[in-house]
């Protein structure tokens, strides 16, 4: 049990750090645009999906920054939601609450958030490419949306997590029935 | 649930304490408390048999159905 608590403690701190990092990088990007440090040569994937081929304007108008920020809040919000649930989940593991209805609920929420993320991605892609290309001359503005095997894989993973959480919920009910059988 | 457990009533009638009954029928005080407070989801026939034997009563004295 001590090992579970120790590992859970470090993962909780990791997810808290990533939660803060994601929030900061989102604000930083839309304030500084192309000056944002890249991650292995590409802009942070939460803000700009890796398969999008649009150039980030060197200077963005305040309107572009505001619209881009607001639209980016959608997928980033979902990602932050996942991290929040992970923080709560590992906090429960730290307190040795492992097979409870509460933590199964968080696992279910993570599944639904991942599903939402996969479904929202094409719409976000269309919006962000349109916003970023809006500075171009008429006729050179575009919006792209794609839905490929990566999205399908994400949806399948999310559905599997939801299914596992349902099974764990049923397991908790069976366990409670056993515990309350005199 | 509409099933009411009247173990407390029978314990009072037989002037027996909960811990004595729990020890006599071989269940923990915690389990007996779950039964008394109506949190139990099921009771084994063996437990019901032991309770009735030690409290010298019928199952109907312990279990009551009250429609809501």
């Amino acid at each position: 049990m001590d090992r579970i608590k120790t590992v859970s403690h470090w993962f909780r701190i990791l997810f808290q750090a990533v939660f803060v990092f994601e929030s900061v990088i989102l604000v930083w990007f839309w304030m500084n645009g192309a000056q944002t440090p890249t991650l292995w040569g590409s802009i942070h994937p939460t803000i700009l999906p890796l398969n999008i081929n649009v150039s980030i304007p060197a200077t963005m108008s305040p309107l572009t920054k505001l619209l881009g920020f607001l639209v980016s809040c959608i997928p980033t919000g979902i990602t932050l939601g996942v991290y929040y649930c992970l923080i709560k989940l590992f906090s429960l593991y730290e307190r040795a609450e492992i097979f409870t209805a509460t933590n199964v609920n968080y696992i279910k929420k993570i599944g639904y958030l991942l599903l939402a993320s996969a479904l929202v991605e094409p719409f976000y892609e269309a919006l962000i490419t349109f916003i970023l290309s809006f500075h171009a001359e008429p006729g050179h503005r575009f919006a792209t949306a794609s839905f490929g095997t990566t999205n399908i894989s994400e949806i399948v993973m999310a559905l599997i997590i939801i299914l596992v959480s349902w099974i764990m919920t049923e397991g908790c009910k069976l366990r409670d029935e056993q515990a309350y059988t005199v | 649930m509409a099933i009411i457990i009247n173990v407390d009533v029978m314990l009072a009638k037989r002037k027996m304490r909960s811990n004595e009954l729990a020890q006599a029928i071989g269940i923990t005080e915690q389990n007996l408390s779950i039964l008394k407070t109506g949190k139990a989801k099921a009771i084994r026939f063996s437990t019901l048999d032991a309770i009735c034997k030690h409290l010298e009563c019928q199952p109907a004295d312990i279990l009551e159905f009250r429609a809501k």
Side-chain angles (χ1 to χ4, degrees), chain A residues 164-178:
Chain A
V164 166
S165 72
W166 175 79
I167 290 170
M168 288 175 75
T169 305
E170 294 303 306
C172 282
K173 284 181 194 169
L174 285 172
R175 194 229 18 226
D176 284 346
E177 246 186 70
Q178 280 277 336

Side-chain angles (χ1 to χ4, degrees), chain A residues 93-167:
Chain A
Y93 290 158
E94 252 184 286
R95 295 201 297 265
E97 291 178 37
I98 298 169
F99 297 113
T100 63
T102 316
N103 63 25
V104 171
N105 255 338
Y106 281 122
I107 295 172
K108 189 162 54 174
K109 281 177 186 168
I110 289 169
Y112 280 118
L113 284 168
L114 289 174
L115 183 65
S117 171
L119 294 173
V120 153
E121 206 175 301
F123 299 103
Y124 169 69
E125 195 181 319
L127 280 171
I128 203 70
T129 47
F130 179 70
I131 288 167
L132 289 175
S133 66
F134 200 74
H135 67 282
E137 296 161 8
H140 293 273
R141 298 169 186 163
F142 62 93
T144 64
S146 61
F147 193 86
T149 50
T150 312
N151 300 87
I152 292 170
S153 302
E154 286 173 8
I155 289 170
V156 169
M157 290 285 295
L159 290 174
I160 288 171
I161 291 171
I162 293 166
L163 176 65
V164 166
S165 72
W166 175 79
I167 290 170

Side-chain angles (χ1 to χ4, degrees), chain A residues 1-150:
Chain A
M1 187 52 78
D2 283 343
R3 278 196 304 183
I4 292 173
K5 286 180 180 177
T6 308
V7 168
S8 302
H9 172 75
W10 287 112
F11 270 95
R12 177 181 58 82
I13 289 173
L14 172 68
F15 289 128
Q16 282 172 331
V18 173
F19 184 97
V20 170
F21 174 77
E22 289 265 353
S23 312
V24 166
I25 207 85
L26 175 72
V27 174
W28 182 283
F29 176 81
W30 291 111
M31 282 174 64
N32 296 291
Q35 283 78 45
T36 302
T38 58
L39 195 69
W40 296 301
S42 55
I43 299 291
H44 195 284
T46 308
I47 298 160
L48 206 60
L50 294 170
N51 58 339
I52 286 180
N53 189 18
V54 62
S55 60
I56 311 295
T59 54
M60 285 190 270
S61 67
L63 181 63
T64 304
K65 286 183 183 180
L66 178 66
L67 288 174
F69 173 74
L70 290 174
V71 167
S72 293
C73 281
I74 301 169
T76 307
I78 293 173
T79 307
L80 291 178
V82 170
Y83 287 128
Y84 176 78
C85 290
L86 285 168
I87 290 164
K88 287 291 183 189
L89 187 65
F90 281 93
S91 301
L92 289 170
Y93 290 158
E94 252 184 286
R95 295 201 297 265
E97 291 178 37
I98 298 169
F99 297 113
T100 63
T102 316
N103 63 25
V104 171
N105 255 338
Y106 281 122
I107 295 172
K108 189 162 54 174
K109 281 177 186 168
I110 289 169
Y112 280 118
L113 284 168
L114 289 174
L115 183 65
S117 171
L119 294 173
V120 153
E121 206 175 301
F123 299 103
Y124 169 69
E125 195 181 319
L127 280 171
I128 203 70
T129 47
F130 179 70
I131 288 167
L132 289 175
S133 66
F134 200 74
H135 67 282
E137 296 161 8
H140 293 273
R141 298 169 186 163
F142 62 93
T144 64
S146 61
F147 193 86
T149 50
T150 312

Side-chain angles (χ1 to χ4, degrees), chain B residues 5-14 16 21 25 47-63:
Chain B
I5 309 292
N6 294 320
V7 167
D8 273 339
V9 173
M10 287 312 301
L11 280 171
K13 279 185 182 175
R14 298 289 181 259
M16 196 185 290
L21 179 65
I25 64 175
T47 307
L48 185 61
D49 175 66
I51 290 172
C52 291
K53 199 176 284 180
H54 283 91
L55 292 178
E56 294 172 3
C57 63
Q58 292 294 315
D61 297 324
I62 305 292
L63 306 170

Side-chain angles (χ1 to χ4, degrees), chain A residues 173 176-182, chain B residues 34 39-44 47:
Chain A
K173 284 181 194 169
D176 284 346
E177 246 186 70
Q178 280 277 336
Y180 288 105
T181 295
V182 178
Chain B
I34 286 170
K39 289 180 186 167
K41 294 196 185 299
I43 182 168
R44 295 187 183 91
T47 307

